[in-house]
Amino acid sequence: ATAANNTLGFKPSIIGIVFPRDTNQLTRLVSLAKAHQIGIHTVSQGKNVGYGDMTPAQANQLIINLSFLNQILDYDPRGGTIVVQPGVTQQQLSDFLIGQGGEFWADMTGASPSSSIIGNTIDGGFGHTPLGNHRKHILSVEVLLENGQILKTLEMPATGPDLSQLFVQTNFGIVLSMRIPLLRAPEKALTYTVSLNSDESLGAAIEIFRKLQLSGVVESLVHIGNSTRTLMTSTAFPSEISREVTIDEQHARRILKDRLGLDPGAWTAVGCLYGFKSEVKEKARFLEAAFRDCGKVRFVTDQKLNLVSWILNLKILANFKRVAMIRRSVDSLRAIHGLMRGRPSSVPIDNILWRTTTSESCGLIWHAPVVSNSKEDMHRLLLASRTTFAKFGFEMPLTLTLINPRKAIAVFNINFDRSRSNETERAQTAYKELGEQCRKMGFSSYRYSILGQPVVTENVPHEKLLNGLKKLFDPDCILAPGRYGLGTTAEPEPKRS
């Protein structure tokens, strides 16, 4: 029952869950599944929150949880790389690197510290630093195939294509280990925020960031959240407001202004500058100059955060209503500041408890279309999405992540109460309608929940090729049938012995 639980409100039947202790046991499990024609769905830690947790894409599958395969197999401080198994968590990797002297940082996501490095990367996830586009930075993988063969891909440059990418968002094999690059800790890392007052300022900011990324001033990923997203990261659902009320972006901005004592703007961008002290100082000067006419730039340091925290803890301020919200806002900013330095935090994932107070009733579905870094595409996306969220009666928290100078990933979260069946149904319908709208506008998704599958690609020749590769790698369709739409035709009734 726990294994089948997820935030989507989707409840397929599963056969059970198994925790292999090593590669030999995993190989035997795959062999048994093949012999009995049982589909197996493999997860690393099962923390795919908002996309399905550890739930398979189709019913009657056996979940194989690889959390016991949690070794760091190789650390190369000379080349700045590391090899991890599926069970290695963000916290585990961060602690290991600190124990090695902190010379290198690993890129971290806003997911739980107990989530898997490999799990996120294989589903195409992203983080914050210059290494934030995770799928782009896979150096090599070791993969167990359906026939029991272990394939080790070559680290590029080498002869032939990069086979490592074949195992991202597919079900061709089970990744046993992965080599990833690390970020050498710079002399200085300066976190910044940029407050933007309108959608017009957002459009201008996207153009500015594109130029700064192309010039090398901005190397980290840039995350831009709307006022609803900022409100959710700053406070719990306002107690004085009925939970039947939908808080739109303008209302969220007014609440923030009232409680924080300042206007955070319609949008807030967050990023980090890396390099030598003199280099970062020059980059900061460029950043401020670039946003002089459309945004307010603020820089975040440990000293500033510690000073504000010290002031907020003064007894004389204990009874002020704003203090609790300001403290939570500072905690959220401190978490982001840490993520820019390879330090995982539970704060971002804790903030998903918006309309509910318990994880058991927390409903969450991520919708994540990819758009070009242009104000025209952003305007089209915002216009359609705002209409749909209002139609179904949900807040519209949105973070735009500028993944590179050409593309942005727009991550919407649909928050609802799973204990209410009508809310669950509305949320699932809203998710499907948003996906259909985006496809009509030419915006594909960077990642799908199990509600969005079967979907391989909107490109028919690609779909035929990928399904052909599925038959080649997994002719009996044992490995996660239905994942990303691959192998959907075979869903045999499991044989029991």
Side-chain angles (χ1 to χ4, degrees):
T2 301
N5 189 37
N6 59 68
T7 65
L8 309 180
F10 176 63
K11 299 178 180 179
S13 59
I14 63 171
I15 296 173
I17 181 167
V18 186
F19 296 80
R21 297 279 177 167
D22 53 40
T23 302
N24 289 334
Q25 286 190 354
L26 175 60
T27 303
R28 288 172 58 200
L29 281 168
V30 173
S31 178
L32 284 167
K34 184 176 180 179
H36 294 279
Q37 287 293 291
I38 295 174
I40 55 174
H41 176 69
T42 310
V43 299
S44 299
Q45 284 283 352
K47 307 286 186 180
N48 200 15
V49 179
Y51 292 107
D53 295 77
M54 67 175 74
T55 310
Q58 291 183 346
N60 296 325
Q61 293 186 32
L62 178 70
I63 297 173
I64 297 182
N65 187 302
L66 303 180
S67 56
F68 284 112
L69 279 68
N70 60 358
Q71 299 300 306
I72 293 173
L73 300 177
D74 183 50
Y75 170 55
D76 176 16
R78 184 176 180 182
T81 69
I82 199 162
V83 177
V84 297
Q85 288 188 314
V88 174
T89 67
Q90 296 200 117
Q91 190 66 60
Q92 182 183 349
L93 180 54
S94 176
D95 291 344
F96 174 85
L97 293 173
I98 291 172
Q100 295 296 316
E103 182 182 1
F104 289 96
W105 300 342
D107 187 86
M108 299 292 164
T109 75
S112 165
S114 61
S115 62
S116 164
I117 299 292
I118 285 183
N120 177 270
T121 304
I122 288 301
D123 217 23
F126 58 85
H128 296 80
T129 73
L131 298 176
N133 190 356
H134 292 170
R135 66 185 297 166
K136 178 183 174 182
H137 296 290
I138 300 172
L139 298 179
S140 64
V141 293
E142 184 182 35
V143 184
L144 175 64
L145 303 180
E146 184 227 47
N147 62 6
Q149 177 187 354
I150 293 180
L151 170 69
K152 295 182 179 181
T153 66
L154 300 176
E155 182 178 343
M156 296 292 115
T159 304
D162 185 356
L163 298 181
S164 300
Q165 292 296 324
L166 279 175
F167 302 97
V168 178
Q169 293 186 348
T170 62
N171 50 8
F172 299 159
I174 300 171
V175 176
L176 303 175
S177 68
M178 178 184 294
R179 183 178 291 276
I180 58 173
L182 302 170
L183 178 68
R184 187 176 181 85
E187 185 178 35
K188 187 172 181 62
L190 182 62
T191 304
Y192 62 84
T193 66
V194 184
S195 297
L196 307 164
N197 284 323
S198 63
D199 288 353
E200 289 72 26
S201 296
L202 171 67
I206 289 170
E207 290 294 320
I208 292 169
F209 276 121
R210 179 177 59 82
K211 293 176 181 177
L212 292 175
Q213 284 179 319
L214 287 170
S215 66
V217 173
V218 170
E219 297 176 286
S220 73
L221 303 194
V222 179
H223 300 262
I224 309 175
N226 66 357
S227 55
T228 309
R229 172 79 267 175
T230 303
L231 178 63
M232 288 182 63
T233 60
S234 301
T235 183
F237 193 93
S239 58
E240 70 276 12
I241 298 176
S242 169
R243 290 190 177 268
E244 304 302 320
V245 173
T246 303
I247 301 175
D248 62 21
E249 293 168 80
Q250 291 74 25
H251 192 186
R253 189 173 175 181
R254 289 195 299 271
I255 295 172
L256 285 165
K257 186 176 181 180
D258 176 62
R259 294 191 173 190
L260 293 177
L262 55 88
D263 187 355
W267 299 88
T268 303
V270 181
C272 192
L273 305 174
Y274 301 90
F276 295 106
K277 290 180 180 179
S278 58
E279 182 184 7
V280 171
K281 183 178 180 181
E282 192 67 9
K283 288 180 177 180
R285 187 178 67 81
F286 273 114
L287 188 70
E288 287 185 304
F291 283 98
R292 185 172 291 120
D293 297 328
C294 74
K296 175 65 176 176
V297 178
R298 296 180 177 89
F299 296 105
V300 181
T301 65
D302 288 328
Q303 292 80 4
K304 287 183 179 179
L305 289 171
N306 291 337
L307 176 61
V308 173
S309 295
W310 179 80
I311 293 172
L312 292 174
N313 286 327
L314 292 175
K315 290 183 179 180
I316 195 173
L317 299 178
N319 295 324
F320 282 80
K321 293 182 179 180
R322 287 180 179 172
V323 169
M325 184 175 180
I326 295 173
R327 185 180 290 115
R328 178 164 174 165
S329 182
V330 170
D331 289 343
S332 179
L333 192 56
R334 190 186 294 277
I336 294 170
H337 181 63
L339 287 168
M340 298 294 180
R341 288 155 178 73
R343 299 196 295 264
S345 171
S346 63
V347 171
I349 197 68
D350 289 343
N351 289 328
I352 66 173
L353 296 176
W354 171 246
R355 285 203 158 269
T356 59
T357 56
T358 65
S359 57
E360 289 75 18
S361 58
C362 174
L364 172 67
I365 309 173
W366 300 114
H367 168 58
V370 180
V371 298
S372 68
N373 285 356
S374 71
K375 58 184 178 183
E376 293 80 13
D377 273 357
M378 292 297 179
H379 177 74
R380 288 198 299 142
L381 178 66
L382 289 173
L383 183 64
S385 301
R386 283 168 174 158
T387 300
T388 303
F389 271 85
K391 170 185 173 181
F392 287 96
F394 295 110
E395 283 88 20
M396 194 189 82
L398 167 61
T399 302
L400 298 167
T401 299
L402 309 185
I403 202 79
N404 60 43
R406 302 168 300 283
K407 297 289 185 179
I409 297 173
V411 180
F412 299 87
N413 44 321
I414 304 173
N415 292 79
F416 60 100
D417 188 339
R418 268 192 295 151
S419 65
R420 301 181 178 185
S421 59
N422 62 325
E423 279 198 30
T424 300
E425 185 178 350
R426 275 195 293 123
Q428 292 177 354
T429 304
Y431 172 74
K432 292 175 182 177
E433 186 165 314
L434 286 164
E436 186 59 34
Q437 282 179 344
C438 285
R439 281 189 283 274
K440 288 180 180 178
M441 290 187 289
F443 304 145
S444 62
S445 286
Y446 108 97
R447 186 173 176 181
Y448 284 100
S449 79
I450 56 175
L451 292 174
Q453 299 177 27
V455 174
V456 181
T457 173
E458 286 74 34
N459 187 303
V460 175
H462 286 187
E463 183 175 348
K464 290 182 178 178
L465 176 62
L466 288 172
N467 272 307
L469 289 172
K470 175 63 175 173
K471 291 178 182 178
L472 177 67
F473 279 100
D474 182 17
D476 290 326
C477 199
I478 297 301
L479 306 179
R483 174 172 161 77
Y484 279 91
L486 297 169
T488 57
T489 56
E491 190 179 341
E493 187 65 27
K495 298 176 183 177
R496 304 192 184 278
S497 60

